[in-house]
Amino acid sequence: MAAPSTVSDTAPVVPQDETLVFPLVSFDSESAFRYLTAGTRYLPDEAAIEKQRYESHATFAPDLVPLRDKLASVKRRLDAVADFEYRAARNLLFPLAHSGSDTAFLANRAGHKLDETMEACGIWQSWCHDELSAHAAAVARSPLTQSPSVSLAFVDICGGPGSFAQQIYAATRNLTHRKRPRVGWDEAARSGESVAPRKTQTKPIARIQGFGMTLRTEHKGAAEGWYPELMARHGFVPTYGMDGTGDIYVPLNIEALSSVLVHQNCKLAVADGGFEVGQADMHLQEAMTCRIVFAQWYAAVRGLRLGGCFVLKLFDVFTPFLRDLLFLTACFFERAWIVKPQHSRCVNSERYLAASGFRVSGAFANPQQVGKPDRHGATTWLSLPSPWVAYLARLHRSGFDDASAASLILPRLNGDDGVFCEAMVARFNSNLADRQIAALDAVLQCVVARRQDGKMYQRPPAPLPAIPAEHPGAPLSDHEQEEEEGREGADDEHSS
Protein backbone atom coordinates (compact mmCIF):
# COMPACT_ATOMS: atom_id res chain seq x y z
CA MET A 1 0.00 0.00 0.00
CA ALA A 2 1.39 3.41 -0.96
CA ALA A 3 1.94 5.89 1.82
CA PRO A 4 -0.72 8.60 2.04
CA SER A 5 0.30 12.16 1.29
CA THR A 6 -0.67 13.24 4.79
CA VAL A 7 2.28 11.29 6.22
CA SER A 8 4.99 13.31 4.48
CA ASP A 9 3.07 16.54 5.04
CA THR A 10 2.55 16.19 8.77
CA ALA A 11 5.46 14.08 10.02
CA PRO A 12 8.77 15.88 10.58
CA VAL A 13 11.63 14.43 8.60
CA VAL A 14 14.53 13.10 10.67
CA PRO A 15 17.51 12.44 8.38
CA GLN A 16 19.10 9.01 8.69
CA ASP A 17 21.46 9.23 5.76
CA GLU A 18 24.69 9.60 7.69
CA THR A 19 26.72 8.11 10.51
CA LEU A 20 27.10 10.49 13.44
CA VAL A 21 30.47 10.61 15.19
CA PHE A 22 31.18 12.41 18.47
CA PRO A 23 34.87 12.40 19.51
CA LEU A 24 35.57 12.09 23.23
CA VAL A 25 38.36 14.02 24.88
CA SER A 26 41.79 12.42 24.45
CA PHE A 27 44.31 12.15 27.25
CA ASP A 28 48.01 11.67 26.72
CA SER A 29 49.60 8.77 28.58
CA GLU A 30 51.00 11.01 31.30
CA SER A 31 47.61 12.60 32.05
CA ALA A 32 45.84 9.25 31.96
CA PHE A 33 48.36 7.75 34.40
CA ARG A 34 47.95 10.76 36.69
CA TYR A 35 44.15 10.40 36.72
CA LEU A 36 44.31 6.68 37.45
CA THR A 37 46.96 7.05 40.15
CA ALA A 38 45.00 9.81 41.87
CA GLY A 39 41.89 7.65 41.76
CA THR A 40 43.43 4.74 43.65
CA ARG A 41 42.91 6.50 47.00
CA TYR A 42 39.14 6.51 46.46
CA LEU A 43 38.62 2.94 45.24
CA PRO A 44 36.23 1.19 47.65
CA ASP A 45 36.62 -2.34 48.89
CA GLU A 46 34.08 -5.00 48.00
CA ALA A 47 31.74 -4.32 50.93
CA ALA A 48 31.73 -0.56 50.30
CA ILE A 49 30.71 -0.59 46.63
CA GLU A 50 27.57 1.54 46.45
CA LYS A 51 24.67 0.35 44.33
CA GLN A 52 21.47 2.05 43.20
CA ARG A 53 18.18 0.42 42.26
CA TYR A 54 17.33 0.68 38.57
CA GLU A 55 14.18 2.72 39.15
CA SER A 56 15.88 5.30 41.40
CA HIS A 57 16.31 8.82 40.05
CA ALA A 58 19.56 8.98 41.99
CA THR A 59 20.94 6.48 39.46
CA PHE A 60 20.96 9.22 36.84
CA ALA A 61 23.30 12.19 36.62
CA PRO A 62 21.44 15.23 38.04
CA ASP A 63 22.42 17.55 35.19
CA LEU A 64 20.99 15.10 32.64
CA VAL A 65 17.73 14.24 34.43
CA PRO A 66 15.61 16.86 32.56
CA LEU A 67 16.77 15.56 29.18
CA ARG A 68 16.30 11.96 30.26
CA ASP A 69 12.78 12.69 31.57
CA LYS A 70 11.84 14.47 28.34
CA LEU A 71 12.88 11.43 26.33
CA ALA A 72 11.11 9.07 28.75
CA SER A 73 7.87 11.04 28.46
CA VAL A 74 7.85 10.61 24.68
CA LYS A 75 8.37 6.87 25.10
CA ARG A 76 5.38 6.79 27.46
CA ARG A 77 3.16 7.98 24.61
CA LEU A 78 4.02 4.82 22.69
CA ASP A 79 2.01 2.81 25.23
CA ALA A 80 -1.11 3.78 23.26
CA VAL A 81 0.36 2.54 19.94
CA ALA A 82 -0.06 -1.07 18.86
CA ASP A 83 3.12 -2.92 17.96
CA PHE A 84 2.06 -3.44 14.32
CA GLU A 85 1.29 0.28 13.98
CA TYR A 86 4.64 1.29 15.41
CA ARG A 87 6.67 -1.03 13.19
CA ALA A 88 4.82 -0.10 10.03
CA ALA A 89 5.12 3.64 10.65
CA ARG A 90 8.78 3.31 11.64
CA ASN A 91 9.68 1.32 8.52
CA LEU A 92 7.75 3.74 6.32
CA LEU A 93 9.53 6.82 7.64
CA PHE A 94 12.95 5.25 8.14
CA PRO A 95 13.64 2.55 5.51
CA LEU A 96 16.99 1.61 7.05
CA ALA A 97 15.10 0.49 10.15
CA HIS A 98 13.84 -2.66 8.40
CA SER A 99 14.99 -5.89 10.01
CA GLY A 100 17.23 -8.23 8.07
CA SER A 101 20.06 -7.44 5.68
CA ASP A 102 20.28 -6.75 1.96
CA THR A 103 23.75 -8.33 1.80
CA ALA A 104 24.19 -12.03 1.11
CA PHE A 105 26.97 -12.60 3.64
CA LEU A 106 25.14 -10.90 6.55
CA ALA A 107 22.15 -12.39 8.31
CA ASN A 108 20.97 -9.12 9.92
CA ARG A 109 21.66 -5.38 10.14
CA ALA A 110 24.12 -5.62 13.04
CA GLY A 111 27.01 -6.24 10.66
CA HIS A 112 26.22 -3.06 8.74
CA LYS A 113 26.29 -1.07 11.99
CA LEU A 114 29.69 -2.49 12.93
CA ASP A 115 31.07 -1.72 9.47
CA GLU A 116 29.80 1.88 9.55
CA THR A 117 31.17 2.44 13.06
CA MET A 118 34.62 1.07 12.26
CA GLU A 119 34.78 2.90 8.95
CA ALA A 120 33.79 6.25 10.49
CA CYS A 121 36.49 6.00 13.18
CA GLY A 122 39.26 4.51 11.04
CA ILE A 123 39.32 1.29 13.04
CA TRP A 124 39.53 -0.97 9.99
CA GLN A 125 42.86 0.68 9.17
CA SER A 126 44.03 0.92 12.79
CA TRP A 127 43.37 -2.75 13.45
CA CYS A 128 45.90 -4.16 11.02
CA HIS A 129 47.91 -1.17 9.74
CA ASP A 130 51.25 -2.01 11.36
CA GLU A 131 51.13 -5.71 10.56
CA LEU A 132 50.14 -5.18 6.94
CA SER A 133 52.77 -2.48 6.48
CA ALA A 134 55.49 -4.85 7.68
CA HIS A 135 54.16 -7.58 5.43
CA ALA A 136 54.05 -5.25 2.42
CA ALA A 137 57.70 -4.40 2.97
CA ALA A 138 58.60 -8.11 3.02
CA VAL A 139 56.63 -8.79 -0.17
CA ALA A 140 58.26 -5.82 -1.90
CA ARG A 141 61.68 -7.28 -1.22
CA SER A 142 60.74 -10.65 -2.71
CA PRO A 143 57.32 -10.56 -4.41
CA LEU A 144 57.36 -14.09 -5.83
CA THR A 145 58.88 -16.02 -2.98
CA GLN A 146 57.26 -17.48 0.06
CA SER A 147 56.63 -14.89 2.77
CA PRO A 148 54.95 -15.36 6.12
CA SER A 149 51.33 -14.34 6.49
CA VAL A 150 50.19 -11.74 8.97
CA SER A 151 48.40 -13.20 11.98
CA LEU A 152 45.43 -11.12 13.17
CA ALA A 153 42.93 -12.09 15.83
CA PHE A 154 39.66 -10.64 17.07
CA VAL A 155 37.22 -11.53 19.83
CA ASP A 156 33.44 -11.25 19.56
CA ILE A 157 31.93 -10.84 23.03
CA CYS A 158 28.21 -11.53 23.52
CA GLY A 159 28.00 -11.48 19.73
CA GLY A 160 25.68 -14.41 19.10
CA PRO A 161 24.38 -15.38 16.66
CA GLY A 162 27.39 -13.78 14.95
CA SER A 163 26.65 -10.94 12.54
CA PHE A 164 29.62 -8.93 13.84
CA ALA A 165 31.98 -11.85 13.16
CA GLN A 166 30.41 -12.35 9.71
CA GLN A 167 31.11 -8.71 8.87
CA ILE A 168 34.74 -8.93 10.00
CA TYR A 169 35.39 -12.00 7.86
CA ALA A 170 33.63 -10.42 4.88
CA ALA A 171 35.52 -7.13 5.20
CA THR A 172 38.89 -8.90 5.41
CA ARG A 173 38.34 -11.52 2.70
CA ASN A 174 40.60 -9.58 0.32
CA LEU A 175 43.39 -9.84 2.90
CA THR A 176 43.12 -13.56 3.42
CA HIS A 177 43.86 -14.35 -0.26
CA ARG A 178 46.12 -12.75 -2.82
CA LYS A 179 46.31 -13.97 -6.40
CA ARG A 180 49.46 -13.83 -8.48
CA PRO A 181 50.80 -15.78 -11.51
CA ARG A 182 53.06 -18.74 -11.03
CA VAL A 183 56.81 -18.28 -11.42
CA GLY A 184 57.90 -18.58 -15.08
CA TRP A 185 54.48 -17.98 -16.68
CA ASP A 186 55.30 -14.50 -18.03
CA GLU A 187 58.70 -15.60 -19.38
CA ALA A 188 57.17 -18.58 -21.19
CA ALA A 189 54.45 -16.45 -22.72
CA ARG A 190 56.95 -13.87 -23.97
CA SER A 191 59.14 -16.57 -25.58
CA GLY A 192 56.23 -17.85 -27.63
CA GLU A 193 56.32 -21.33 -26.14
CA SER A 194 53.14 -23.37 -26.16
CA VAL A 195 52.12 -23.37 -22.55
CA ALA A 196 48.86 -24.69 -21.24
CA PRO A 197 46.87 -22.15 -19.18
CA ARG A 198 47.67 -22.50 -15.52
CA LYS A 199 45.74 -21.27 -12.55
CA THR A 200 46.95 -18.27 -10.61
CA GLN A 201 48.58 -18.93 -7.30
CA THR A 202 46.50 -18.07 -4.24
CA LYS A 203 48.54 -16.98 -1.25
CA PRO A 204 47.15 -15.63 2.02
CA ILE A 205 48.25 -12.14 3.00
CA ALA A 206 46.73 -12.44 6.47
CA ARG A 207 45.31 -15.17 8.65
CA ILE A 208 42.23 -13.94 10.47
CA GLN A 209 41.52 -15.89 13.63
CA GLY A 210 38.29 -15.17 15.46
CA PHE A 211 37.22 -16.09 18.98
CA GLY A 212 33.77 -15.72 20.45
CA MET A 213 31.99 -15.99 23.77
CA THR A 214 28.21 -15.83 23.95
CA LEU A 215 25.43 -17.60 25.83
CA ARG A 216 25.21 -21.23 24.81
CA THR A 217 21.59 -21.18 23.64
CA GLU A 218 19.73 -21.84 20.42
CA HIS A 219 18.06 -18.81 18.88
CA LYS A 220 17.45 -17.29 15.45
CA GLY A 221 18.63 -20.41 13.64
CA ALA A 222 21.90 -20.48 15.57
CA ALA A 223 23.29 -23.65 17.14
CA GLU A 224 24.89 -23.19 20.56
CA GLY A 225 24.67 -19.43 20.22
CA TRP A 226 26.40 -19.02 16.82
CA TYR A 227 25.34 -19.33 13.19
CA PRO A 228 26.17 -22.78 11.74
CA GLU A 229 28.43 -21.26 9.07
CA LEU A 230 30.51 -19.60 11.79
CA MET A 231 30.74 -22.82 13.78
CA ALA A 232 31.98 -24.55 10.64
CA ARG A 233 34.71 -21.99 9.91
CA HIS A 234 38.25 -23.16 10.53
CA GLY A 235 39.21 -19.64 11.62
CA PHE A 236 36.55 -19.18 14.30
CA VAL A 237 36.78 -20.68 17.79
CA PRO A 238 33.77 -20.41 20.12
CA THR A 239 34.50 -20.67 23.81
CA TYR A 240 31.99 -20.92 26.66
CA GLY A 241 34.16 -20.48 29.75
CA MET A 242 34.76 -22.70 32.73
CA ASP A 243 31.11 -23.55 33.35
CA GLY A 244 30.27 -24.09 29.66
CA THR A 245 27.48 -21.49 29.58
CA GLY A 246 29.26 -18.54 27.94
CA ASP A 247 27.92 -16.25 30.68
CA ILE A 248 30.26 -13.26 31.03
CA TYR A 249 28.79 -12.42 34.43
CA VAL A 250 30.76 -15.40 35.79
CA PRO A 251 34.30 -14.28 36.76
CA LEU A 252 35.86 -17.65 35.91
CA ASN A 253 34.48 -17.41 32.39
CA ILE A 254 36.26 -14.07 31.92
CA GLU A 255 39.46 -15.70 33.16
CA ALA A 256 39.00 -18.57 30.70
CA LEU A 257 38.53 -16.18 27.78
CA SER A 258 41.62 -14.20 28.81
CA SER A 259 43.69 -17.39 28.99
CA VAL A 260 42.67 -18.22 25.40
CA LEU A 261 43.53 -14.73 24.10
CA VAL A 262 46.84 -14.34 25.94
CA HIS A 263 48.63 -16.33 23.22
CA GLN A 264 46.95 -14.49 20.34
CA ASN A 265 47.68 -11.19 18.61
CA CYS A 266 44.21 -9.93 19.50
CA LYS A 267 43.90 -6.29 18.51
CA LEU A 268 40.16 -6.05 17.94
CA ALA A 269 37.33 -6.66 20.40
CA VAL A 270 33.68 -6.17 19.45
CA ALA A 271 30.70 -6.48 21.79
CA ASP A 272 27.01 -6.39 20.85
CA GLY A 273 25.39 -7.79 23.99
CA GLY A 274 21.95 -6.80 25.16
CA PHE A 275 18.54 -8.17 26.03
CA GLU A 276 14.90 -7.40 25.45
CA VAL A 277 13.42 -4.71 27.69
CA GLY A 278 9.65 -4.42 27.95
CA GLN A 279 7.87 -1.28 26.79
CA ALA A 280 7.02 -0.38 30.39
CA ASP A 281 10.72 -0.43 31.32
CA MET A 282 12.17 1.31 28.27
CA HIS A 283 13.00 4.42 30.32
CA LEU A 284 15.18 2.18 32.54
CA GLN A 285 16.98 0.44 29.67
CA GLU A 286 20.32 2.13 30.30
CA ALA A 287 20.37 1.34 34.03
CA MET A 288 19.26 -2.26 33.43
CA THR A 289 22.02 -2.86 30.87
CA CYS A 290 24.87 -1.36 32.93
CA ARG A 291 25.91 -4.81 34.10
CA ILE A 292 26.23 -6.40 30.68
CA VAL A 293 27.92 -3.29 29.28
CA PHE A 294 30.56 -3.31 32.01
CA ALA A 295 31.10 -7.09 31.76
CA GLN A 296 31.76 -6.77 28.02
CA TRP A 297 34.10 -3.82 28.57
CA TYR A 298 35.98 -5.70 31.27
CA ALA A 299 36.32 -8.83 29.10
CA ALA A 300 37.66 -6.73 26.23
CA VAL A 301 40.37 -4.89 28.19
CA ARG A 302 41.45 -8.20 29.67
CA GLY A 303 42.13 -9.66 26.23
CA LEU A 304 43.31 -6.79 24.01
CA ARG A 305 46.91 -6.29 22.94
CA LEU A 306 48.80 -3.02 22.79
CA GLY A 307 47.34 -0.77 20.10
CA GLY A 308 44.08 -2.71 19.99
CA CYS A 309 40.64 -1.39 19.04
CA PHE A 310 37.24 -1.81 20.65
CA VAL A 311 33.57 -1.39 19.62
CA LEU A 312 30.84 -1.67 22.29
CA LYS A 313 27.08 -1.18 22.04
CA LEU A 314 25.49 1.21 24.55
CA PHE A 315 22.00 2.52 25.35
CA ASP A 316 22.02 6.18 26.42
CA VAL A 317 24.68 7.65 28.71
CA PHE A 318 22.66 9.38 31.42
CA THR A 319 23.95 7.37 34.40
CA PRO A 320 27.08 8.46 36.28
CA PHE A 321 28.27 4.86 36.01
CA LEU A 322 28.42 4.87 32.19
CA ARG A 323 29.82 8.38 32.14
CA ASP A 324 32.62 7.08 34.35
CA LEU A 325 33.09 4.15 32.00
CA LEU A 326 33.60 6.56 29.08
CA PHE A 327 36.13 8.48 31.15
CA LEU A 328 38.00 5.28 31.97
CA THR A 329 37.93 4.29 28.28
CA ALA A 330 39.52 7.63 27.38
CA CYS A 331 42.31 6.81 29.85
CA PHE A 332 42.81 3.25 28.57
CA PHE A 333 42.76 4.15 24.85
CA GLU A 334 44.42 6.89 22.83
CA ARG A 335 41.22 7.85 21.00
CA ALA A 336 37.53 7.25 21.66
CA TRP A 337 34.24 8.16 20.00
CA ILE A 338 30.49 7.81 20.43
CA VAL A 339 28.96 6.70 17.12
CA LYS A 340 25.38 6.48 15.85
CA PRO A 341 25.66 4.32 12.70
CA GLN A 342 23.48 4.99 9.69
CA HIS A 343 21.78 1.60 10.04
CA SER A 344 21.05 2.15 13.75
CA ARG A 345 17.41 3.11 14.18
CA CYS A 346 17.08 6.77 15.07
CA VAL A 347 13.95 5.91 17.09
CA ASN A 348 15.94 3.96 19.67
CA SER A 349 18.69 4.78 22.18
CA GLU A 350 21.34 2.55 20.64
CA ARG A 351 24.77 3.99 20.00
CA TYR A 352 28.33 2.60 19.97
CA LEU A 353 31.46 3.34 21.92
CA ALA A 354 34.46 2.99 19.62
CA ALA A 355 38.09 3.26 20.73
CA SER A 356 41.54 2.65 19.28
CA GLY A 357 45.11 2.69 20.55
CA PHE A 358 44.78 0.48 23.64
CA ARG A 359 47.70 1.31 25.94
CA VAL A 360 47.52 -0.91 29.01
CA SER A 361 47.99 -4.28 27.31
CA GLY A 362 49.27 -7.01 29.59
CA ALA A 363 48.71 -5.11 32.83
CA PHE A 364 45.89 -7.39 33.92
CA ALA A 365 47.59 -10.71 33.23
CA ASN A 366 50.82 -9.91 35.07
CA PRO A 367 51.38 -6.39 36.47
CA GLN A 368 55.07 -7.16 37.11
CA GLN A 369 55.65 -7.56 33.37
CA VAL A 370 54.32 -4.12 32.42
CA GLY A 371 56.74 -2.31 30.15
CA LYS A 372 58.49 -5.50 29.02
CA PRO A 373 58.08 -6.89 25.50
CA ASP A 374 55.54 -9.67 25.09
CA ARG A 375 55.82 -12.63 22.69
CA HIS A 376 54.75 -10.39 19.79
CA GLY A 377 57.37 -7.76 20.63
CA ALA A 378 54.83 -5.23 21.97
CA THR A 379 55.39 -3.25 25.13
CA THR A 380 52.86 -1.41 27.23
CA TRP A 381 52.72 2.37 27.24
CA LEU A 382 50.79 2.78 30.47
CA SER A 383 51.35 0.90 33.70
CA LEU A 384 47.91 0.39 35.25
CA PRO A 385 48.19 0.78 39.05
CA SER A 386 47.66 -2.60 40.68
CA PRO A 387 44.77 -1.34 42.89
CA TRP A 388 42.81 -0.74 39.69
CA VAL A 389 43.37 -4.30 38.51
CA ALA A 390 41.90 -5.65 41.75
CA TYR A 391 39.10 -3.06 41.88
CA LEU A 392 37.79 -3.77 38.36
CA ALA A 393 37.69 -7.47 39.23
CA ARG A 394 35.73 -6.65 42.42
CA LEU A 395 33.34 -4.43 40.49
CA HIS A 396 32.66 -7.18 37.97
CA ARG A 397 32.17 -9.72 40.74
CA SER A 398 30.08 -7.72 43.24
CA GLY A 399 28.97 -4.44 41.68
CA PHE A 400 25.63 -5.63 40.30
CA ASP A 401 22.62 -7.77 41.05
CA ASP A 402 19.22 -8.38 39.47
CA ALA A 403 17.70 -5.12 40.72
CA SER A 404 20.58 -2.64 41.06
CA ALA A 405 23.85 -1.46 39.56
CA ALA A 406 26.99 0.19 40.90
CA SER A 407 26.51 3.93 41.13
CA LEU A 408 30.05 5.02 40.23
CA ILE A 409 33.37 3.71 38.98
CA LEU A 410 35.54 6.71 39.81
CA PRO A 411 34.46 8.18 43.17
CA ARG A 412 35.26 11.92 43.46
CA LEU A 413 37.42 11.89 40.33
CA ASN A 414 35.32 12.07 37.18
CA GLY A 415 33.18 14.94 38.47
CA ASP A 416 36.27 17.17 38.72
CA ASP A 417 36.88 16.97 34.99
CA GLY A 418 34.31 19.44 33.69
CA VAL A 419 35.65 19.34 30.14
CA PHE A 420 34.90 15.64 29.83
CA CYS A 421 31.63 15.56 31.75
CA GLU A 422 29.97 18.66 30.38
CA ALA A 423 31.43 19.52 26.99
CA MET A 424 31.72 15.96 25.70
CA VAL A 425 29.04 13.80 27.28
CA ALA A 426 26.33 16.47 27.44
CA ARG A 427 26.88 17.40 23.79
CA PHE A 428 26.34 13.97 22.25
CA ASN A 429 23.57 13.14 24.74
CA SER A 430 21.63 16.26 23.75
CA ASN A 431 22.18 15.72 20.03
CA LEU A 432 21.13 12.07 19.99
CA ALA A 433 18.24 12.55 22.41
CA ASP A 434 16.82 15.44 20.35
CA ARG A 435 17.03 13.33 17.20
CA GLN A 436 15.36 10.39 18.91
CA ILE A 437 12.55 12.57 20.27
CA ALA A 438 11.95 14.04 16.81
CA ALA A 439 11.95 10.55 15.27
CA LEU A 440 9.47 9.19 17.82
CA ASP A 441 7.24 12.23 17.32
CA ALA A 442 7.33 11.56 13.58
CA VAL A 443 6.24 7.96 14.15
CA LEU A 444 3.42 9.06 16.45
CA GLN A 445 2.20 11.66 13.95
CA CYS A 446 2.30 9.07 11.20
CA VAL A 447 0.19 6.66 13.28
CA VAL A 448 -2.33 9.43 14.07
CA ALA A 449 -2.56 10.37 10.38
CA ARG A 450 -3.16 6.77 9.36
CA ARG A 451 -5.89 6.39 11.95
CA GLN A 452 -7.60 9.61 10.86
CA ASP A 453 -7.51 8.56 7.21
CA GLY A 454 -8.92 5.17 8.13
CA LYS A 455 -6.02 3.45 6.38
CA MET A 456 -4.83 0.94 8.91
CA TYR A 457 -1.95 -1.37 8.11
CA GLN A 458 -4.07 -4.26 9.31
CA ARG A 459 -7.30 -4.70 11.24
CA PRO A 460 -6.63 -4.03 14.95
CA PRO A 461 -7.46 -6.95 17.25
CA ALA A 462 -9.27 -4.57 19.65
CA PRO A 463 -10.18 -0.87 19.86
CA LEU A 464 -7.00 1.15 20.02
CA PRO A 465 -6.48 3.72 22.81
CA ALA A 466 -6.16 7.39 21.95
CA ILE A 467 -2.63 8.76 21.71
CA PRO A 468 -1.94 11.63 24.15
CA ALA A 469 -1.49 14.95 22.36
CA GLU A 470 1.25 16.13 24.68
CA HIS A 471 4.14 14.56 26.50
CA PRO A 472 2.86 13.41 29.90
CA GLY A 473 5.37 13.57 32.71
CA ALA A 474 6.84 10.19 33.62
CA PRO A 475 5.28 9.29 37.00
CA LEU A 476 7.65 8.64 39.87
CA SER A 477 7.61 5.30 41.62
CA ASP A 478 7.26 5.17 45.40
CA HIS A 479 10.99 4.69 45.73
CA GLU A 480 11.68 7.65 43.44
CA GLN A 481 9.20 9.81 45.34
CA GLU A 482 11.02 9.10 48.61
CA GLU A 483 14.34 10.01 46.99
CA GLU A 484 12.87 13.22 45.57
CA GLU A 485 11.49 14.25 48.97
CA GLY A 486 14.86 13.46 50.55
CA ARG A 487 16.67 15.69 48.04
CA GLU A 488 14.22 18.54 48.63
CA GLY A 489 14.76 18.25 52.38
CA ALA A 490 18.52 18.31 51.94
CA ASP A 491 18.23 21.41 49.72
CA ASP A 492 16.11 23.16 52.37
CA GLU A 493 18.71 22.40 55.05
CA HIS A 494 21.49 23.69 52.81
CA SER A 495 19.64 26.92 52.01
CA SER A 496 18.85 27.60 55.67
Side-chain angles (χ1 to χ4, degrees):
M1 179 185 297
S5 59
T6 54
V7 172
S8 58
D9 293 337
T10 61
V13 177
V14 181
Q16 196 181 356
D17 56 355
E18 59 182 343
T19 294
L20 303 178
V21 181
F22 302 90
L24 299 181
V25 67
S26 299
F27 301 123
D28 56 51
S29 295
E30 182 179 352
S31 298
F33 181 76
R34 185 171 63 251
Y35 280 127
L36 294 174
T37 302
T40 56
R41 73 186 72 172
Y42 305 123
L43 299 179
D45 57 27
E46 195 155 346
I49 295 177
E50 295 184 2
K51 292 186 282 190
Q52 295 284 351
R53 293 182 62 83
Y54 294 147
E55 68 272 14
S56 171
H57 260 170
T59 303
F60 299 91
D63 54 323
L64 297 176
V65 166
L67 180 62
R68 177 250 176 185
D69 285 348
K70 181 181 178 182
L71 179 58
S73 68
V74 180
K75 293 180 179 180
R76 296 280 189 186
R77 298 180 67 201
L78 294 174
D79 293 345
V81 178
D83 185 63
F84 71 87
E85 288 184 301
Y86 172 78
R87 291 179 182 275
R90 180 199 67 191
N91 294 342
L92 177 66
L93 293 173
F94 310 109
L96 290 180
H98 281 284
S99 297
S101 172
D102 55 1
T103 306
F105 55 80
L106 293 179
N108 59 56
R109 294 179 307 110
H112 293 297
K113 291 183 281 189
L114 176 67
D115 182 55
E116 291 160 358
T117 298
M118 293 179 65
E119 182 68 27
C121 300
I123 290 181
W124 285 122
Q125 181 178 359
S126 299
W127 176 30
C128 51
H129 174 75
D130 293 340
E131 285 80 4
L132 290 180
S133 296
H135 178 80
V139 171
R141 289 192 297 269
S142 182
L144 296 179
T145 59
Q146 296 291 329
S147 57
S149 300
V150 179
S151 177
L152 295 174
F154 72 90
V155 59
D156 192 354
I157 305 166
C158 297
S163 192
F164 272 17
Q166 286 180 331
Q167 175 60 42
I168 292 172
Y169 284 121
T172 57
R173 61 186 182 276
N174 290 332
L175 301 178
T176 55
H177 294 82
R178 181 157 73 93
K179 294 182 177 180
R180 51 188 167 185
R182 291 179 181 272
V183 178
W185 167 259
D186 290 339
E187 290 77 5
R190 284 195 296 269
S191 65
E193 298 178 8
S194 177
V195 180
R198 306 170 75 180
K199 294 182 179 180
T200 56
Q201 197 174 39
T202 300
K203 181 175 181 59
I205 296 177
R207 295 192 307 273
I208 309 298
Q209 180 66 58
F211 298 87
M213 176 173 281
T214 197
L215 286 177
R216 197 170 202 162
T217 58
E218 294 186 10
H219 58 92
K220 298 181 180 179
E224 296 189 336
W226 300 102
Y227 288 128
E229 53 268 30
L230 274 179
M231 298 286 286
R233 284 191 79 107
H234 178 70
F236 185 76
V237 179
T239 179
Y240 300 99
M242 293 294 291
D243 65 359
T245 64
D247 186 353
I248 60 168
Y249 293 166
V250 179
L252 286 178
N253 290 347
I254 298 291
E255 296 297 330
L257 180 62
S258 300
S259 67
V260 171
L261 298 177
V262 72
H263 299 299
Q264 303 295 327
N265 188 26
C266 182
K267 291 193 174 182
L268 176 63
V270 294
D272 191 37
F275 47 83
E276 292 292 334
V277 176
Q279 186 67 38
D281 295 326
M282 284 301 295
H283 60 294
L284 301 175
Q285 184 180 33
E286 178 192 354
M288 295 174 69
T289 56
C290 277
R291 183 178 190 180
I292 192 171
V293 166
F294 179 76
Q296 293 173 102
W297 183 91
Y298 180 60
V301 298
R302 288 289 305 270
L304 278 175
R305 289 271 172 190
L306 173 68
C309 305
F310 183 35
V311 178
L312 170 67
K313 182 168 71 175
L314 303 175
F315 296 97
D316 288 326
V317 188
F318 293 134
T319 59
F321 180 86
L322 285 187
R323 189 159 63 177
D324 285 356
L325 190 66
L326 296 189
F327 185 90
L328 203 56
T329 302
C331 291
F332 277 40
F333 292 82
E334 291 184 321
R335 296 167 297 279
W337 307 264
I338 292 293
V339 182
K340 181 71 171 178
Q342 182 182 359
H343 271 78
S344 179
R345 294 167 178 149
C346 56
V347 294
N348 65 27
S349 300
E350 179 187 67
R351 75 279 315 267
Y352 289 83
L353 169 63
S356 64
F358 185 61
R359 51 189 174 190
V360 293
S361 177
F364 291 98
N366 189 348
Q368 288 74 30
Q369 295 298 317
V370 172
K372 300 179 181 179
D374 62 14
R375 64 189 297 267
H376 295 284
T379 57
T380 57
W381 299 347
L382 175 64
S383 174
L384 184 66
S386 56
W388 273 103
V389 178
Y391 174 63
L392 292 176
R394 290 199 304 271
L395 196 59
H396 174 260
R397 181 174 60 248
S398 306
F400 309 86
D401 56 42
D402 293 337
S404 58
S407 57
L408 289 172
I409 297 178
L410 305 172
R412 299 178 57 192
L413 179 63
N414 187 6
D416 295 337
D417 190 358
V419 173
F420 184 86
C421 293
E422 297 175 13
M424 297 295 167
V425 178
R427 183 170 68 90
F428 74 73
N429 263 323
S430 298
N431 187 298
L432 294 178
D434 288 343
R435 290 172 63 89
Q436 185 180 359
I437 290 170
L440 291 173
D441 275 332
V443 170
L444 287 166
Q445 291 184 33
C446 180
V447 172
V448 171
R450 302 288 292 194
R451 288 185 181 183
Q452 292 174 346
D453 292 346
K455 298 179 179 179
M456 303 297 295
Y457 295 98
Q458 67 183 56
R459 184 177 298 277
L464 297 171
I467 300 175
E470 299 180 354
H471 301 169
L476 297 179
S477 66
D478 294 339
H479 187 77
E480 290 174 327
Q481 188 65 39
E482 293 174 5
E483 298 248 348
E484 186 68 24
E485 292 172 356
R487 284 198 299 272
E488 291 175 358
D491 291 341
D492 292 341
E493 279 187 41
H494 183 71
S495 60
S496 61

